[in-house]
Amino acid sequence: MNIVRYILFAQVFVAFFVAGGVFFKSRQLRSLTLSLLIAFVGCHILLFLFGSGELVNLHPEFKSWFYYEIAFLFGPLVFIHLQCLILNKKRLRAIDLLHLLPILAFWLGYGDVLLMEGNIRSEYINAHFLTRTMFWNYLLAFQMMIYAISSSVFLYLNRTVLSAKRFQYAVFLVVAYVCSSILISYLTHFADGWRDFAWYYVLLTFLIFGVGYFLVKNPEFLLQIKKKYFASNLSEKDMLRIQSKIQKAFKKDQMFLDGSFNISDLSKQLNEKQHHVSQTFSELISENFNDYVNKHRIEIAKQLLHDPKYGNYKIEAIALESGFNNKVTFYKAFTKFVERTPSAFRKSKK
């Protein structure tokens, strides 16, 4: 067990190192959520080490100190990070505060214990573990399983949106969290003591190593070709020029009706460097390339759905005519931009 403890202490430093690397690479929301997730994993391991075993006698003030609050944030951070990867979420909204409800419930139901002095709190928790503390362990396990299921379903439904590398990364992240949730649920019910939970934290270290591996293997992963941007002398005037060319190309040539159309094709048509076009989308248009393309495809689809000549066309045929490769992707994009299904939109005209 001492060897495991030393390994966990080492992982705390690794976690903070990786979290700092992610944070300073990019200040986008997806990087911040990942950085916080890894940093909180490190903090959680540290609190476990100081709140269990012999160390708890030396530092009783760490007993249950922010232990549950940090653990309650793992699921929301994983889920929001997936939203950033898949939906290009750039900022938090008021509705995201709902993720904090378990923490609020914990403070209301367990706040009196948290406000006790270290020694008194430690003795109280040991004396009332089954009557007061165990409930919050079960709630934590339940909350983690809910987010594990939600994240898995969310990733599965949007699996076609991500590139191969991003999908592999997202699968790894979700699988690591799902395994952690299953293990914490099992240990909550069957563990004989705090020491059994050490294996849960050993599993969490795979998350740290895995993310570190992806960052080393694909240093540009969380960036939008940042190195090229920093080396670029593209001015705002140049971006305005490229934006104008993009608008004209989409309006006249309608290359986006080709299902295989990508940003490389667009760059060749505009006779511009691909990273300059990508930078224009990111910094000036403030929209990713896929959303921009799908938005124009949906406008064509709306015209076709209201055109009597296409009245006998099935929804799937309308999708293909609009540049989509399949019905599922078409439905998702249409619902996203029109806020109703293609069938409902067609019926509204009739």
Side-chain angles (χ1 to χ4, degrees), residues 158-195:
N158 294 278
R159 62 192 183 280
T160 59
V161 176
L162 295 172
S163 63
K165 285 185 178 180
R166 288 197 174 191
F167 181 70
Q168 291 173 5
Y169 165 78
V171 168
F172 166 80
L173 188 65
V174 171
V175 168
Y177 183 72
V178 168
C179 292
S180 300
S181 302
I182 294 174
L183 183 57
I184 198 69
S185 300
Y186 173 83
L187 291 173
T188 298
H189 192 69
F190 294 105
D192 294 326
W194 277 96
R195 291 190 175 187

Side-chain angles (χ1 to χ4, degrees), residues 67-263:
Y67 178 84
Y68 293 95
E69 293 92 327
I70 291 177
F72 278 130
L73 289 174
F74 288 162
L77 286 172
V78 170
F79 191 76
I80 293 175
H81 185 63
L82 286 177
Q83 288 181 310
C84 295
L85 286 175
I86 296 172
L87 305 179
N88 198 32
K89 186 184 181 84
K90 294 183 177 180
R91 59 180 62 88
L92 295 175
R93 299 179 180 179
I95 194 172
D96 293 317
L97 293 175
L98 293 176
H99 292 296
L100 301 179
L101 287 179
I103 296 178
L104 179 60
F106 174 69
W107 283 342
L108 292 175
Y110 206 66
D112 59 314
V113 179
L114 300 176
L115 294 176
M116 296 178 181
E117 288 187 25
N119 288 318
I120 298 175
R121 182 169 69 249
S122 181
E123 293 176 2
Y124 181 89
I125 291 175
N126 292 332
H128 301 83
F129 183 79
L130 293 178
T131 56
R132 290 292 308 271
T133 309
M134 198 61 192
F135 169 78
W136 300 106
N137 288 327
Y138 279 119
L139 180 63
L140 174 59
F142 177 75
Q143 186 249 20
M144 290 185 68
M145 286 304 302
I146 290 296
Y147 275 99
I149 295 171
S150 301
S151 298
S152 301
V153 172
F154 181 67
L155 177 59
Y156 176 77
L157 294 177
N158 294 278
R159 62 192 183 280
T160 59
V161 176
L162 295 172
S163 63
K165 285 185 178 180
R166 288 197 174 191
F167 181 70
Q168 291 173 5
Y169 165 78
V171 168
F172 166 80
L173 188 65
V174 171
V175 168
Y177 183 72
V178 168
C179 292
S180 300
S181 302
I182 294 174
L183 183 57
I184 198 69
S185 300
Y186 173 83
L187 291 173
T188 298
H189 192 69
F190 294 105
D192 294 326
W194 277 96
R195 291 190 175 187
D196 292 342
F197 282 83
W199 299 109
Y200 163 68
Y201 295 100
V202 171
L203 178 61
L204 284 182
T205 61
F206 284 102
L207 172 66
I208 301 170
F209 276 123
V211 171
Y213 169 79
F214 271 101
L215 292 176
V216 171
K217 193 75 174 178
N218 306 291
E220 79 289 350
F221 183 76
L222 289 175
L223 309 176
Q224 298 178 349
I225 323 178
K226 280 287 183 181
K227 289 184 179 179
K228 293 182 179 179
Y229 288 1
F230 288 142
S232 172
N233 58 357
L234 192 64
S235 64
E236 185 176 356
K237 183 178 180 180
D238 290 328
M239 285 192 285
L240 288 170
R241 175 180 55 79
I242 294 175
Q243 180 189 33
S244 178
K245 293 173 71 173
I246 291 173
Q247 293 171 341
K248 290 179 181 178
F250 271 72
K251 186 175 181 180
K252 292 182 179 180
D253 301 328
Q254 296 188 336
M255 289 181 65
F256 56 85
L257 294 179
D258 180 356
S260 62
F261 180 62
N262 55 43
I263 195 168

Side-chain angles (χ1 to χ4, degrees), residues 220-347:
E220 79 289 350
F221 183 76
L222 289 175
L223 309 176
Q224 298 178 349
I225 323 178
K226 280 287 183 181
K227 289 184 179 179
K228 293 182 179 179
Y229 288 1
F230 288 142
S232 172
N233 58 357
L234 192 64
S235 64
E236 185 176 356
K237 183 178 180 180
D238 290 328
M239 285 192 285
L240 288 170
R241 175 180 55 79
I242 294 175
Q243 180 189 33
S244 178
K245 293 173 71 173
I246 291 173
Q247 293 171 341
K248 290 179 181 178
F250 271 72
K251 186 175 181 180
K252 292 182 179 180
D253 301 328
Q254 296 188 336
M255 289 181 65
F256 56 85
L257 294 179
D258 180 356
S260 62
F261 180 62
N262 55 43
I263 195 168
S264 177
D265 297 329
L266 176 62
S267 302
K268 291 177 182 177
Q269 182 188 7
L270 301 180
N271 194 25
E272 298 284 351
K273 294 180 179 180
Q274 183 174 328
H275 63 272
H276 285 174
V277 176
S278 178
Q279 184 176 354
T280 301
F281 273 108
S282 176
E283 297 187 9
L284 187 62
I285 300 177
S286 297
E287 192 170 20
N288 66 51
F289 174 77
N290 288 334
D291 281 348
Y292 192 85
V293 169
N294 286 340
K295 186 182 294 184
H296 283 77
R297 287 173 174 170
I298 293 303
E299 289 302 317
I300 297 297
K302 288 164 63 177
Q303 296 174 21
L304 298 180
L305 288 170
H306 280 181
D307 191 336
K309 295 179 181 179
Y310 293 86
N312 295 326
Y313 276 54
K314 294 182 178 180
I315 297 298
E316 187 172 2
I318 296 292
L320 295 175
E321 289 289 331
S322 306
F324 290 92
N325 291 320
N326 57 72
K327 184 178 178 180
V328 175
T329 306
F330 173 59
Y331 259 87
K332 290 179 181 178
F334 198 95
T335 305
K336 177 179 180 179
F337 292 111
V338 187
E339 296 184 348
R340 49 180 163 169
T341 65
S343 301
F345 182 82
R346 172 180 267 177
K347 291 178 181 178

